[in-house]
Amino acid sequence: MRVADTIRRGWEQGWSWMPALTAFVLPLHPRLSVISLIVWGLMALLGWGIQMPSQRCGRKQELNWSSIGPVLYFIGLALGMLWTDQIQVGWFALEVKSTLVILPALFFLQLRWSPNEKWVSRAIQAFLVGLAVYMLWRFMQAGVHSDPALWRYDGLAGPFHPSYIAAYLTLGMFLMPSKSRLRIPFLLLTALFVGLLASKAGWLVAVLVLVVMLVKSKIRSARWDGFVVLAAGMLCLGAIWGDQGRMREFMGYATEHSAEVTRDVEPEHGGAEHTILMTETGDISKKRKVGSSAGRMQAWRASWTLLMKHPGGVGTGDVVQELVRVYETQGSEYALLKRMNPHSAYVQALVTLGWFGGLILLLWWGGLVRESWKRKSWNLAVFAAIVISHGFFESILELQQGVVAWVFLGLLFVKQARMSDEPNLEGAQ
């Protein structure tokens, strides 16, 4: 009997640390988060053998869109296999997105078997520690090697997509407690890192979050936070160093709409600019720079064409194949060269599952906003704003590093918001 009690106590302690383990490895490497989920799942299976769920329940659980939304979206993707031609591609997509179901199930068990809610704040602290370790690792990597490309964009991002890790870091800036002694160096280092990542979406969202931080400091302490302003300066400094033509490419595309793209040239070291010839009235008259901005516009235009032709979506595995056909028809050479997906979570849902898929996504993420307003949670509101904003510019649910992060953190912040009725709940306190 004593042995059984010892095993049960050991399991309970280990189980309470599972969310923290996942939160810590989340910003370190996408594969590590997969390993942590496997360990978490094995712990859940072990729990069924040694626990008595009917006698060990936490607080009563309410259904919410942070848990219902991802499950419904996965069900929609599973149904989308019925009208897809690329079966193998579709099955791979379902495998990548299986955490849409796995994580809500694990959180259900976590809430059921962990009446002590310290695991919530512990997980947020672990996420911040993981971000700090990641930044130190990437800066050390760049310092040891002499390659300048390691100091910016995908060279600095390492195993992550620059826009994805920029979103993680921006959230981390907001979550760092104002009373922490590490807040100032963490804030400045993170802002510099986001600037160097050279993600235009990352820059935009980081600026918006810094503004929210200033507003929040004004509301709570009746004074402006000078270190947030300094962080904005570090963001600009990093952006100037890491830009290397990306913003010029965007402005050039935005101000020259009459150009016809005829040829793309692949840049070196992941640069953003692509030299093309531009024709007006049939004659080659001048050169112009285009890149990811033009590619996104081409992808969005082709996706809209595809949606009008297939209002029910093209199926879970056929999105890229169908888009490539439209790129060829429309002469979208950059998007064709890169075989781009829709580059927007909303457009991706619409093209894949039609208007029904778009509705599910809006209900899921809109539910996070509603929950943050209802619970008066700053953390959940900022998290929802980051996800919704980045969803405009990236298909953030197409890579595992996006699916795991946004589902896990959404469930975590909803749980945090429901733990207390006090407004303005701090993230890591």
Side-chain angles (χ1 to χ4, degrees):
M1 192 68 176
R2 291 181 179 178
V3 175
D5 290 340
T6 301
I7 294 176
R8 180 172 296 176
R9 284 195 296 269
W11 177 87
E12 288 175 349
Q13 293 179 356
W15 178 255
S16 67
W17 279 93
M18 286 298 100
L21 174 63
T22 301
F24 173 70
V25 302
L26 197 61
L28 295 181
H29 199 288
R31 293 179 182 175
L32 290 179
S33 61
V34 174
I35 295 174
S36 72
L37 291 179
I38 293 174
V39 175
W40 198 354
L42 292 175
M43 287 289 288
L45 293 176
L46 180 60
W48 281 109
I50 64 177
Q51 283 284 92
M52 299 180 65
S54 62
Q55 298 180 10
R56 288 296 307 273
C57 297
R59 296 181 180 179
K60 182 179 179 181
Q61 300 179 51
E62 301 178 15
L63 294 177
N64 59 80
W65 279 105
S66 68
S67 56
I68 298 175
V71 173
L72 288 179
Y73 193 69
F74 183 83
I75 293 174
L77 293 173
L79 293 175
M81 291 292 293
L82 297 176
W83 60 91
T84 189
D85 294 329
Q86 300 289 309
I87 301 297
Q88 291 185 343
V89 177
W91 281 117
F92 178 74
L94 291 180
E95 179 184 344
V96 170
K97 299 174 180 65
S98 60
T99 45
L100 290 169
V101 175
I102 293 173
L103 275 168
L106 289 174
F107 262 82
F108 174 83
L109 295 176
Q110 193 72 35
L111 297 174
R112 184 178 180 86
W113 292 343
S114 296
N116 189 330
E117 296 172 332
K118 291 182 179 179
W119 62 269
V120 176
S121 59
R122 187 184 295 158
I124 296 176
Q125 291 170 355
F127 178 66
L128 293 173
V129 173
L131 288 173
V133 172
Y134 167 80
M135 287 188 291
L136 293 177
W137 163 46
R138 297 312 302 168
F139 277 138
M140 290 178 60
Q141 179 86 356
V144 170
H145 297 81
S146 59
D147 188 355
L150 294 177
W151 285 99
R152 63 175 297 275
Y153 197 54
D154 54 353
L156 184 62
F160 291 95
H161 188 290
S163 293
Y164 287 51
I165 194 63
Y168 299 177
L169 292 165
T170 300
L171 178 62
M173 286 194 299
F174 187 85
L175 293 176
M176 180 58 70
S178 58
K179 296 181 180 179
S180 173
R181 289 180 294 181
L182 298 176
R183 176 178 182 263
I184 296 173
F186 182 88
L187 188 60
L188 300 182
L189 183 65
T190 304
L192 176 65
F193 202 104
V194 173
L196 291 171
L197 287 172
S199 165
K200 294 185 285 291
W203 292 343
L204 174 62
V205 177
V207 169
L208 294 177
V209 169
L210 288 172
V211 170
V212 171
M213 292 172 68
L214 284 175
V215 172
K216 181 184 175 184
S217 68
K218 181 67 175 178
I219 293 175
R220 299 190 59 158
S221 60
R223 63 180 178 83
W224 294 107
D225 192 333
F227 292 108
V228 175
V229 177
L230 185 57
M234 295 297 288
L235 175 68
C236 293
L237 182 64
I240 292 172
W241 172 261
D243 177 75
Q244 296 190 12
R246 290 180 63 80
M247 185 55 69
R248 185 170 65 253
E249 166 260 313
F250 170 74
M251 295 303 296
Y253 180 82
T255 55
E256 298 181 44
H257 297 289
S258 62
E260 178 186 349
V261 177
T262 61
R263 182 171 62 88
D264 288 5
V265 178
E266 185 70 15
E268 297 181 358
H269 303 301
E273 298 183 355
H274 300 258
T275 303
I276 62 165
L277 296 179
M278 166 176 117
T279 62
E280 294 178 354
T281 66
D283 297 324
I284 298 176
S285 58
K286 60 180 179 177
K287 291 184 178 181
R288 159 181 177 214
K289 304 289 187 179
V290 298
S292 60
S293 300
R296 276 182 173 79
M297 297 301 173
Q298 292 169 5
W300 292 348
R301 181 179 63 179
S303 297
W304 182 254
T305 300
L306 206 56
L307 179 62
M308 293 298 98
K309 185 178 179 180
H310 302 279
V314 297
T316 303
D318 291 355
V319 175
V320 174
Q321 175 185 266
E322 294 297 326
L323 281 176
V324 165
R325 293 175 180 172
V326 180
Y327 295 151
E328 293 173 344
T329 302
Q330 296 181 344
S332 301
E333 296 194 7
Y334 180 91
L336 178 61
L337 177 67
K338 298 291 187 178
R339 292 181 60 86
M340 292 178 66
N341 64 26
H343 266 63
S344 168
Y346 307 99
V347 180
Q348 183 85 39
L350 289 169
V351 173
T352 304
L353 301 175
W355 299 104
F356 177 71
L359 178 62
I360 293 177
L361 197 63
L362 289 177
L363 289 174
W364 174 9
W365 290 351
L368 296 178
V369 176
R370 180 181 180 277
E371 188 76 12
S372 68
W373 179 266
K374 179 180 179 181
R375 307 291 175 177
K376 297 181 174 60
S377 170
W378 279 98
N379 288 349
L380 183 55
V382 169
F383 167 77
I386 290 175
V387 173
I388 291 171
S389 300
H390 274 275
F392 280 110
F393 308 105
E394 296 288 349
S395 296
I396 60 175
L397 297 178
E398 291 306 294
L399 297 179
Q400 199 164 45
Q401 58 189 271
V403 178
V404 176
W406 303 132
V407 177
F408 174 83
L409 293 172
L411 292 165
L412 184 65
F413 291 128
V414 167
K415 172 57 182 173
Q416 184 199 42
R418 293 189 170 200
M419 282 169 53
S420 174
D421 292 329
E422 295 179 5
N424 305 326
L425 191 61
E426 284 290 335
Q429 294 179 341

